[in-house]
Amino acid sequence: MPVLNRVAEFQPEIAAWRRDLHAHPEVLFEVHRTADFVAEKLRAFGCDEVVTGLGRTGVVGIIQGRGKGGKTIGLRADMDALPMTEKTGLPHASTSEGKMHACGHDGHTAMLLGAAKYLAETRNFDGRVALIFQPAEEGGGGGKVMLDDGLIEKFDIAEVYGMHNWPGMPVGTFGIRAGGIMAATDRFYIDIIGKGGHAARPHVTIDPIIVAAQMVSALQTIVSRNLDPLANAVLSVTMVEAGEADNVISRTAKITGTVRTLDGDVQDFIETRLGEFVPQFAQSFGAEASVRYARGYPVTVNAPEQTEFAASVARDIVGAGQVDDDTAPSMGGEDFSFMLNERPGAYIFLGNGDSTELHTDTYDFNDEAIPVGVSYWVRLVEKALPAG
C-alpha cells in the first residue's frame, strides 16, 4: 500500500491548512486559535466526539470504526510554536511578532487533520481512534498536563503513536528504533559562594569566577571519565553569571546547564555525581557550592512490539529500503515521552528533505512530506484495527 491516492488528491488542501497555521503561530498553552481551528475541522469531518480544553487547550477527536469492537489507539500531534522571530521571507511566514513554527508542529497538526478527514470518511477499521492535538510541547510539558487531565482514562486508550518531521532525511523516508529514541532533558543550577573584595587585592578573596571557570571544564569529566564510553550522555554548561563591576571580585557565581541521557540509570548516575562533585570541587578552592538538579522530560522510549509494528506500517507506505528501523537516537527532548510511559507505543521520524535544522529562523515544514505522513497514519489505524 503506497501513498494513498485519495490523500494525494487533497494534499493541496492540507498544505493550505498547514500554511494558515504557520502564519498564525501560538506558543505553549496559548494555542487558542489553533485549537479552535482543529476543533472546527474535526466537527466538519464528522468525528463522533470532539473534546476541547483537555490539558487546558488540548483537543481530542474520536472516530468510531465500522465495527464496534476493537481497542482505542491514540495518534498525537503537537500544536505549539516557538518564541522566536521568523526570517524565511515566505508568503506564509509568521504574522505574529516573536513567534514562529520552527519545529514543524504546523505540519504535524495538518497531517493528523488530514488523517482525520480520511478516516472519518472511510471508517475502514474496527475500533476507535483518538486524535490527540497537544499544546505546549516546547517546554511546557503539555503532554503530561493532558495525561493529568485524564486523557488515557477518558478515552480508554490502549496504545499511542507519535511522529516528528526530521530535516536531513529525504522526503519519503522514515526512521525509528526500539528503546530510547529521544533523550531525557534535565537542567542543573550551581551556586558558588566565595569571598568578594577589591579586584586589586585578589589574594585576600576567594574568587568564585576562578572556581566557576575551572569547574566548567572539570564538569566534562563526569561524562568523559566516569561513564562507559558506549553510554549516551551530554552535559553542557550554557550560562555562567558573576560580577557587577570591573574593579570588584564578586562573592558569588552561578553556573547553569543541561544534561541529556537516553537511559534512566545514566540519568540517575549523573544527578548523583553532580551532587557529590560540585561541593567537593569548590572546597578545594576554599569556596562553597551547591547544585540543584531539575528533571525535565523523561527519555522517549519506544516499546519493541509497537516499534516493529510502526516500522512495518512505514514499509507498507514507502518500501523497506526507505525505512531505517535502527535510526540513530536524538539527544533532543520530547514530551510524548510522558504518554509512552503510560501506554505502549512508538515515535517515528518522517523525512523533511533538505530543510534547515529544527529551531532555526529559516526552517519551514516541507509540504511534499504531507501525503507520506497522512498515509502512514491511515495505514497504521487500518492495520492496527483491521475491519472484520
Side-chain angles (χ1 to χ4, degrees), residues 154-168:
K154 286 181 180 179
F155 305 107
D156 194 24
I157 296 171
E159 297 177 4
V160 288
Y161 294 88
M163 181 195 301
H164 204 295
N165 77 96
W166 213 249

Side-chain angles (χ1 to χ4, degrees), residues 37-112:
F37 181 97
V38 166
E40 180 181 337
K41 294 293 182 190
L42 294 177
R43 293 187 184 103
F45 300 155
C47 287
D48 298 281
E49 185 179 2
V50 178
V51 177
T52 60
L54 193 73
R56 294 171 58 177
T57 46
V59 181
V60 177
I62 299 296
I63 302 175
Q64 176 69 54
R66 292 178 182 175
K68 300 302 181 181
K71 60 191 175 185
T72 300
I73 62 171
L75 313 180
R76 174 268 202 176
D78 35 19
M79 298 188 290
D80 58 319
L82 283 156
M84 56 189 290
T85 299
E86 181 167 353
K87 296 182 180 178
T88 62
L90 293 167
H92 57 273
S94 171
T95 59
S96 301
E97 185 176 355
K99 299 175 186 177
M100 177 189 175
H101 270 296
C103 202
H105 297 186
D106 50 340
H108 302 165
T109 299
M111 287 190 295
L112 192 53

Side-chain angles (χ1 to χ4, degrees), residues 142-343:
K144 185 175 188 305
V145 176
M146 291 190 80
L147 289 171
D148 291 344
D149 213 4
L151 171 67
I152 298 297
E153 297 78 13
K154 286 181 180 179
F155 305 107
D156 194 24
I157 296 171
E159 297 177 4
V160 288
Y161 294 88
M163 181 195 301
H164 204 295
N165 77 96
W166 213 249
M169 283 176 49
V171 172
T173 64
F174 289 93
I176 196 169
R177 66 181 290 114
I181 190 168
M182 297 195 75
T185 58
D186 301 340
R187 295 177 176 85
F188 61 88
Y189 306 88
I190 297 171
D191 290 297
I192 301 169
I193 302 174
K195 180 182 178 183
H198 199 292
R201 292 171 54 81
H203 59 291
V204 298
T205 72
I206 300 173
D207 189 344
I209 296 176
I210 293 295
V211 180
Q214 299 296 319
M215 189 179 288
V216 167
S217 296
L219 286 170
Q220 300 307 312
T221 64
I222 293 176
V223 172
S224 68
R225 290 298 178 268
N226 294 162
L227 283 179
D228 186 322
L230 298 179
N232 293 291
V234 172
L235 188 157
S236 294
V237 171
T238 54
M239 288 189 286
V240 179
E241 304 168 81
E244 296 179 302
D246 61 8
N247 61 350
V248 176
I249 291 176
S250 174
R251 188 177 73 89
T252 63
K254 295 179 181 293
I255 297 174
T256 304
T258 185
V259 173
R260 305 297 175 102
T261 54
L262 288 165
D263 179 271
D265 290 340
V266 173
Q267 182 185 29
D268 291 342
F269 173 81
I270 292 179
E271 180 177 4
T272 299
R273 190 73 184 101
L274 272 170
E276 298 167 344
F277 178 86
V278 167
Q280 293 176 13
F281 187 87
Q283 286 169 15
S284 70
F285 290 83
E288 299 176 8
S290 62
V291 58
R292 180 171 66 88
Y293 194 94
R295 296 207 174 197
Y297 296 168
V299 180
T300 303
V301 180
N302 282 342
E305 180 181 342
Q306 284 73 24
T307 299
E308 174 49 38
F309 171 72
S312 74
V313 171
R315 288 191 287 267
D316 290 346
I317 301 302
V318 296
Q322 304 303 308
V323 180
D324 182 356
D325 59 9
D326 191 26
T327 195
S330 167
M331 300 311 279
E334 167 59 68
D335 79 341
F336 185 61
S337 54
F338 289 111
M339 296 187 188
L340 287 174
N341 281 351
E342 295 297 320
R343 290 293 186 270

Side-chain angles (χ1 to χ4, degrees), residues 370-384:
I370 287 173
V372 183
V374 175
S375 295
Y376 169 81
W377 282 138
V378 170
R379 176 60 177 156
L380 188 150
V381 171
E382 294 181 347
K383 192 170 184 176

